[in-house]
Amino acid sequence: MSVFLEVSIQGVLMGLTYALLALGLTVIFGVMDMVNFAHGEFLMIGMYAAYLTAAHVFPDPLVGVPVAGLIGLVLGALSYRLLVRRLLQGPTIAQIFGTFGLMLFLRYGALAVFGPNLRSAPGGLVVGQRLVLGGLVLDGAKVTAAAGSALLFALIYWFLQRTRVGLGLRATAAHREAARYMGVDTDAMNSIGWAIGGATAGMAGALLVNFYYVSPTVGMVFAMITFTTVALGGFGSVPGAFVAGIIVGVVEAVTAQYFSPQLKLAVIYLVFFLVVLLRPHGLLGAR
Amino acid sequence: MLQVADLKAGYGQAPVVRGVSLEVNAGELVCLLGANGAGKSTVLKSIMGTVKPVSGRVRFLGEDITGRPTPEIVGRGIVYVPEGKLVFAPLSVEENLRLGAYLVRDEETVRSRMEQAYELFPRLWERRGQRAGTLSGGEQTMLALARGLMAGPRLLLLDEPSLGLMPKLVGELFETVARLKETGLAVLLVEQRARQALALADRGYVLRTGRIVAAGTREELLSGDTLRQAFLSG
Ligand SMILES: Nc1ncnc2c1ncn2[C@@H]1O[C@H](COP(=O)(O)OP(=O)(O)O)[C@@H](O)[C@H]1O
Ligand SMILES: [Mg+2]
């Protein structure tokens, strides 16, 4: 097996988690034209939820996935109900600083509660497992995270395309005022959008804990990549989030292999700039 | 059925609707006429609760619905077909129709209404899988109307449905509206094409800079020069 192919497969695996992370952000943006700067912190809290579950309840971060999903869901919905909803009455700049403030609050709140140390899962079913497929050696934890992310992405996609509430969300995204004339409770749609964002970020975090360290500032690393992914795919585009997630994952892995791991973000941004030069609304963006 | 009493509404400081009273009875087709900027859409949006009235009352089927949330008003049976159609461009024609019946929980009812909609507008059946944004202006008008009917309205508010249509299509549209009236549906039709709209109507009101300046039956409004006066520099 060629090294390039192997590295690309690693990239696709990571890209599936990026896609799931981008999905939550793009749903919130689509429904209410708002960027959630605290998205990385939702992920971080999901990671702690899974880590703490593994450390104290049952020694496997996978058990923490539903826990992190539930905590993320509540956190997302509460963030909307208690904070964002009020910000909507203010100017746009208040909305930007509002979720930025939420990011800082959660990040440094976590620092105060959990301390600055990096923590890793104590073990688990897939932690540190090698998976040999033909000539290909993969990390079982990464394969699990990728499969879990893909499954969750498919589930949310199905929800958006095939359920009544999903239709309401897409209508709100397409034209909020018209959606209200159909009887859609657009305020409830905002809540649901935030709940989806929080739940998917939380579960992505729990999946990552199988092979990635946890720290109060870990959200920053992933948030930068996620914002780029969403912009690359097109703000508000769900298929765009998927395609862009994979692209970002592969570009990251290939750069780390052939150039230098330090250049990962630089090359991701380079690709992003090139795409946006040609397609200002991203690969699959509408507007 | 619908009673609007001394309604005042506006955007921010500027009053746009300055004391409008009107009434639509069961089975009636009533038009609200007036030049561009007279405040017709604002009256409809105040009924729908999108614009919160400053004062005045809106009653529907005997109940006060003034400033209630829009979804509740739709649930009570008032359906608004907005000016400029406002179809959901990225969604398919069929999804647009489904959204019209968003508050209808019975899947059988949705399906039978969908069939009726396709019967009324066979063009929409041909294009059911297409994105609504790719339809022509005339087709989007049909879609907006069909989408409104999917809710099973008791009262239909039509906001300048003829806007931007070719003259031939305007005739067809008004024929469709007349047929809806024949089924017993109450309609409040907002139009600038005063004579064509009045031809279908039982009664009409003429709005000028936020006030009703004339009201009466079709015959009363068509005789004399009330109409011409009302449309003079708004
Ligand atoms: N969203 C809005 N914000 C501020 N002013 C508005 C808004 N919508 C309409 N107006 C103003 O209100 C007045 C009446 O508008 P409208 O009700 O749309 O009139 P019509 O439907 O009769 O053409 C116009 O002067 C218009 O500029
Ligand atoms: Mg108007």
Side-chain angles (χ1 to χ4, degrees):
Chain A
M1 171 115 10
S2 80
V3 174
F4 180 77
L5 190 62
E6 193 169 333
V7 168
S8 301
I9 289 171
Q10 302 279 5
V12 170
L13 292 182
M14 200 59 208
L16 286 164
T17 301
Y18 293 157
L20 181 63
L21 280 170
L23 174 67
L25 202 60
T26 219
V27 165
I28 293 175
F29 184 86
V31 169
M32 52 191 297
D33 279 342
M34 188 175 206
V35 175
N36 171 24
F37 283 101
H39 199 65
E41 275 52 45
F42 287 3
L43 167 99
M44 176 269 293
I45 286 172
M47 290 177 89
Y48 271 108
Y51 165 76
L52 292 171
T53 308
H56 300 294
V57 184
F58 187 87
D60 193 329
L62 288 180
V63 176
V65 174
V67 178
L70 200 65
I71 289 177
L73 185 128
V74 172
L75 184 66
L78 280 184
S79 301
Y80 174 71
R81 290 266 133 190
L82 300 180
L83 175 72
V84 177
R85 190 140 73 128
R86 317 228 157 165
L87 295 173
L88 290 177
Q89 268 122 49
T92 312
I93 193 82
Q95 298 169 21
I96 293 172
F97 283 116
T99 69
F100 202 80
L102 181 63
M103 167 191 94
L104 295 175
F105 174 76
L106 294 174
R107 183 182 298 171
Y108 295 103
L111 189 64
V113 175
F114 303 120
N117 295 342
L118 307 188
R119 292 158 199 263
S120 307
L125 183 66
V126 297
V127 173
Q129 295 295 328
R130 274 158 42 100
L131 199 71
V132 185
L133 290 172
L136 194 63
V137 181
L138 296 171
D139 179 343
K142 290 187 179 170
V143 174
T144 307
S149 297
L151 193 71
L152 290 169
F153 196 107
L155 192 72
I156 301 290
Y157 186 73
W158 172 86
F159 175 77
L160 291 173
Q161 293 295 322
R162 289 277 171 266
T163 67
R164 175 171 170 275
V165 173
L167 187 62
L169 283 166
R170 289 188 291 134
T172 307
H175 202 299
R176 172 170 293 268
E177 186 188 343
R180 290 187 69 73
Y181 295 137
M182 305 297 111
V184 176
D185 182 346
T186 52
D187 186 52
M189 294 302 129
N190 294 347
S191 284
I192 293 169
W194 277 79
I196 290 176
T200 50
M203 288 190 281
L207 289 166
L208 285 171
V209 166
N210 284 292
F211 63 92
Y212 208 91
Y213 67 88
V214 192
S215 87
T217 52
V218 69
M220 194 158 41
V221 182
F222 287 97
M224 291 316 296
I225 293 177
T226 307
F227 291 138
T228 318
T229 307
V230 169
L232 181 64
F235 273 98
S237 165
V238 171
F242 190 82
V243 173
I246 305 279
I247 292 175
V248 167
V250 171
V251 168
E252 179 188 60
V254 167
T255 308
Q257 174 72 26
Y258 291 97
F259 301 96
S260 144
Q262 276 90 28
L263 280 178
K264 283 190 321 197
L265 277 178
V267 176
I268 289 171
Y269 279 113
L270 192 65
V271 171
F272 167 65
F273 290 142
L274 289 176
V275 169
V276 172
L277 272 180
L278 299 172
R279 294 184 63 88
H281 297 292
L283 291 170
L284 298 170
R287 277 155 286 186
Chain B
M1 180 168 226
L2 176 77
Q3 286 106 20
V4 175
D6 200 24
L7 183 77
K8 296 194 173 95
Y11 306 91
Q13 297 289 33
V16 170
V17 175
R18 318 172 196 215
V20 164
S21 299
L22 59 81
E23 191 163 53
V24 181
N25 299 311
E28 260 191 327
L29 197 161
V30 175
C31 16
L32 179 60
L33 308 168
N36 202 10
K40 305 180 297 295
S41 296
T42 307
V43 170
L44 297 188
K45 287 178 181 177
S46 306
I47 296 171
M48 292 310 294
T50 328
V51 172
K52 299 289 172 206
V54 176
S55 70
R57 287 278 149 243
V58 181
R59 293 175 71 78
F60 183 61
L61 298 173
E63 285 185 70
D64 192 330
I65 58 160
T66 319
R68 303 299 305 162
T70 309
E72 181 195 320
I73 290 175
V74 178
R76 285 170 180 265
I78 308 184
V79 171
Y80 176 54
V81 178
E83 181 180 332
K85 297 134 195 136
L86 311 189
V87 300
F88 300 102
L91 308 192
S92 72
V93 167
E94 185 133 337
E95 286 172 332
N96 270 266
L97 291 178
R98 270 194 174 276
L99 275 158
Y102 188 78
L103 294 177
V104 181
R105 293 306 191 104
D106 179 42
E107 187 57 27
E108 265 314 299
T109 312
V110 175
R111 214 165 301 153
S112 82
R113 285 196 191 142
M114 187 108 57
E115 269 168 37
Q116 286 168 18
Y118 286 140
E119 239 165 73
L120 191 61
F121 302 110
R123 269 313 262 275
L124 296 182
W125 169 254
E126 290 164 30
R127 311 207 173 242
R128 64 191 179 282
Q130 238 170 280
R131 286 160 39 102
T134 65
L135 301 185
S136 71
E139 289 163 346
Q140 289 192 16
T141 302
M142 291 176 203
L143 179 57
L145 190 55
R147 187 182 65 177
L149 294 172
M150 287 295 295
R154 300 173 195 234
L155 169 64
L156 194 61
L157 310 182
L158 295 176
D159 197 348
E160 296 203 40
S162 75
L163 202 71
L165 289 189
M166 293 186 303
K168 177 173 151 286
L169 292 178
V170 173
E172 279 178 29
L173 171 81
F174 283 146
E175 272 168 40
T176 309
V177 175
R179 252 186 292 154
L180 291 176
K181 176 198 154 55
E182 274 158 31
T183 67
L185 184 60
V187 182
L188 178 57
L189 171 65
V190 159
E191 268 297 337
Q192 287 191 55
R193 297 172 193 269
R195 272 164 209 290
Q196 267 175 293
L198 268 176
L200 315 172
D202 300 302
R203 295 185 298 115
Y205 297 89
V206 180
L207 192 66
R208 185 172 162 185
T209 55
R211 289 198 175 85
I212 302 281
V213 292
T217 62
R218 170 179 52 205
E219 291 76 18
E220 283 164 357
L221 286 175
L222 284 173
S223 67
D225 60 4
T226 6
L227 275 186
R228 199 177 51 80
Q229 292 225 333
F231 278 85
L232 285 181
S233 62

